[in-house]
Amino acid sequence: MKIEKNKKYLLSKENISSLVQILQKQKFKTIAPVVKDETILYDEIQSIDELPIGMTDVHKAGSYSLKKRKDKALFGYNVGPQSCKKFLFPPKLTLLQTKKIDGKVTVIKSSDPVEKLALIGIKPCELSAILVQDKIFIEGDYVDSYYKQQRDNLFIVTTNCTETAYSCFCDSMKTGPEATKGFDLAVTELIDGKNHRFVIKTGSAAGVKVLSNIEGIALAPDDALALEEAKISSAKNKMGRSISTENLKELLLDNLNHPYWAEIQERCVSCGNCTMVCPTCFCSDILDETSLSGEDSKRTRLWDSCFSKDYSYIHGGVVRASIKSRYRQWLTHKFASWVDQFDTFGCVGCGRCIVWCPVGIDVTEEINAIEQDVEKMKPVEVEA
C-alpha cells in the first residue's frame, strides 16, 4: 500500500526489527536505549534484541533504579541519565586545529566526524529538547556548523509515553507524553493481553520513504487507535509532578530577592549534576592548546556549567559567588529569561534534574513554593 505523511499504520514486533535493518542498510548508525551500568543509556544497536526488553526505570528524587516489567515491552522505560544532547552538542568537540607547514600556519580540518545517526526510541520530551536546541544553534543569527551538519544527518524515531515516572512533568511543559512534531516516525507500543502491536505515525518525507520499505503493513484499525489514545491519556493523567507555566516568567523575574532562594542554598551543593543531565543546557568552555614546539595547536569546546563558580568569572572577578545566585541564575534562565531569548522554555519536563540531584532538590517544588508564598502575600481585595 502507499504510505503517506501524517498517517498512522499498524506494525508488529517483526516490523520494528525490519525498521532497524532498513535504517542500517541506508548507512545510518542506529542509536537506541540499552541496559548498561545499571541504567538505561543510549548506545549503538545492531538489532532490537539489544533494547531494554521487559525493563523499566524507577525514578525518585535523588534516586534511580531498574526493575523488571511484567511484560516484554521494547520501549517501557522513561529517561536515563543521558540525553540525546551528546550526539548533537558533544561533551568534547574539536573546533579547530592548526599546523605549521613550511613556516606558515595552516588550518586543518577538525578530527570530529559527522555521522548519519538514527535515534530510535527517544521519548517526546527528548525530542522536544532537540527542537529547543535547534533554536539555539541553528535558528538564530549565528549557526553552529557542526550542530547543523549533524542535525541534517539525523533520523528520529520517537516513542510516545504510555506510562510516566515520579519525576515527569512534560504535560506541564507541553512536550509530552505524545509527540506532535519534529519526528520522522512516532511509535506507540500497545500491549493488551497477548496482543503486542505498534501504531506508527509518519512525520516527514524521510519517514514515509523508510516505512515504504516495510512489507505487510496496513492502516491502524480503530481499536488500535482507541487503545493508543486511552494509554496516552492515562499517562497524562498519572504525571508525577506539575507546575503552572502561566505568568511563570513574570513570577520568577519579579521575585529575584525572594528569601526562598537562600533556603535552597542550604540544600544545593552546586555539583552541576542538573546541568549535565539536562537535555537543553548548553553552557560550554573553550580550551586552547599549543604544542611545546609551537608547530601544532588545537581549540576544543567542552561542556561547562553555570553552577561552576569560575563560569561567571568576568574581568577579574566572579559575578555569582554564592550558591544562591548560581541556582537562581539556572532556574530563572530555564523558566524565564530563556523565553525572551528563544521564545520557548528551556525545560521540557523530563525530570532528570530531580532524579540525579544528590540531595533530591525538586525544581517543581521550588517553583510551586515561591508561587504559593507570593499568593499568600497578595493583598485581599475588600468590597466597599
Side-chain angles (χ1 to χ4, degrees):
M1 70 178 299
K2 182 180 179 181
I3 305 299
E4 300 178 58
K5 185 179 176 181
N6 295 324
K7 295 285 187 179
K8 292 186 176 182
Y9 301 88
L10 192 67
L11 272 66
S12 65
K13 182 178 177 181
E14 290 71 26
N15 293 146
I16 297 295
S17 180
S18 297
L19 171 62
V20 173
Q21 294 170 9
I22 289 167
L23 288 168
Q24 290 169 347
K25 287 179 181 178
Q26 294 184 4
K27 307 302 181 183
F28 281 99
K29 185 177 180 179
T30 46
I31 304 295
V34 300
V35 175
K36 189 175 182 180
D37 298 331
E38 298 183 17
T39 62
I40 293 178
L41 305 175
Y42 291 115
D43 206 347
E44 183 177 7
I45 64 167
Q46 299 303 320
S47 77
I48 63 170
D49 293 335
E50 298 173 71
L51 293 171
I53 299 174
M55 297 295 293
T56 191
D57 40 4
V58 180
H59 296 188
K60 296 180 181 179
S63 173
Y64 176 96
S65 61
L66 298 182
K67 77 172 184 178
K68 289 185 178 181
R69 296 172 55 92
K70 295 180 181 179
D71 55 35
K72 297 295 183 182
L74 304 185
F75 306 112
Y77 46 80
N78 295 291
V79 291
Q82 287 183 340
S83 73
C84 293
K85 177 173 71 174
K86 71 172 189 173
F87 299 111
L88 294 164
F89 176 54
K92 184 177 182 180
L93 178 69
T94 301
L95 300 176
L96 178 71
Q97 292 187 87
T98 67
K99 188 175 185 65
K100 189 175 288 185
I101 302 175
D102 297 330
K104 294 183 179 180
V105 175
T106 302
V107 176
I108 59 178
K109 290 185 178 180
S110 166
S111 60
D112 295 28
V114 170
E115 301 177 289
K116 287 184 67 175
L117 298 180
L119 303 181
I120 301 170
I122 70 172
K123 297 300 181 178
C125 60
E126 192 84 84
L127 169 59
S128 296
I130 293 176
L131 300 181
V132 169
Q133 288 215 315
D134 285 351
K135 288 179 174 290
I136 298 162
F137 291 116
I138 59 177
E139 295 180 12
D141 294 332
Y142 304 98
V143 175
D144 184 300
S145 59
Y146 179 87
Y147 185 98
K148 186 178 189 310
Q149 290 178 65
Q150 189 61 79
R151 187 71 170 90
D152 290 342
N153 284 276
L154 200 65
F155 188 93
I156 297 176
V157 182
T158 187
T159 52
N160 294 319
C161 294
T162 56
E163 299 176 21
T164 54
Y166 159 90
S167 54
C168 295
F169 58 103
C170 62
D171 183 50
S172 294
M173 306 313 298
K174 303 297 185 289
T175 59
E178 181 179 17
T180 58
K181 61 181 179 178
F183 55 84
D184 295 296
L185 296 171
V187 177
T188 306
E189 186 170 21
L190 304 177
I191 301 178
D192 183 23
K194 293 182 179 180
N195 290 326
H196 193 170
R197 303 174 291 173
F198 302 83
V199 170
I200 189 164
K201 181 179 180 180
T202 52
S204 70
V208 169
K209 183 178 179 181
V210 168
L211 203 61
S212 297
N213 286 291
I214 300 178
E215 297 181 358
I217 64 175
L219 285 171
D222 290 343
D223 70 304
L225 295 177
L227 182 58
E228 176 191 38
E229 183 179 359
K231 284 185 172 292
I232 292 175
S233 178
S234 175
K236 184 176 181 179
N237 293 333
K238 293 179 180 178
M239 201 68 54
R241 330 297 297 149
S242 68
I243 59 171
S244 172
T245 56
E246 185 178 359
N247 301 320
L248 179 54
K249 183 184 80 167
E250 292 76 15
L251 170 73
L252 295 175
L253 295 182
D254 289 346
N255 289 279
L256 296 178
N257 294 316
H258 194 282
Y260 195 71
W261 298 116
E263 195 278 331
I264 297 175
Q265 176 176 255
E266 296 302 312
R267 292 176 286 137
C268 177
V269 294
S270 195
C271 66
N273 270 15
C274 50
T275 60
M276 293 296 104
V277 297
C278 177
T280 64
C281 278
F282 60 94
C283 288
S284 62
D285 193 11
I286 300 296
L287 176 65
D288 287 324
E289 301 172 276
T290 304
S291 65
L292 292 176
S293 65
E295 298 292 317
D296 306 275
S297 69
K298 181 168 68 172
R299 172 166 289 180
T300 306
R301 185 180 69 190
L302 305 165
W303 281 3
D304 205 339
S305 172
C306 59
F307 275 87
S308 166
K309 186 175 180 179
D310 290 338
Y311 190 76
S312 68
Y313 182 92
I314 299 176
H315 302 307
V318 173
V319 176
R320 301 185 188 98
S322 67
I323 293 177
K324 177 182 77 172
S325 63
R326 294 197 291 276
Y327 186 91
R328 181 180 60 192
Q329 155 63 22
W330 174 72
L331 192 140
T332 55
H333 190 206
K334 286 288 178 186
F335 294 94
S337 54
W338 201 305
V339 177
D340 292 329
Q341 285 181 286
F342 307 112
D343 195 32
T344 184
F345 288 109
C347 173
V348 294
C350 69
R352 284 187 175 97
C353 59
I354 302 171
V355 175
W356 296 96
C357 173
V359 294
I361 294 177
D362 185 331
V363 64
T364 65
E365 290 182 354
E366 313 314 327
I367 290 173
N368 289 333
I370 294 175
E371 181 180 32
Q372 291 168 13
D373 189 64
V374 170
E375 286 295 322
K376 289 179 182 178
M377 299 300 291
K378 284 184 178 180
V380 177
E381 294 184 5
V382 181
E383 293 185 5

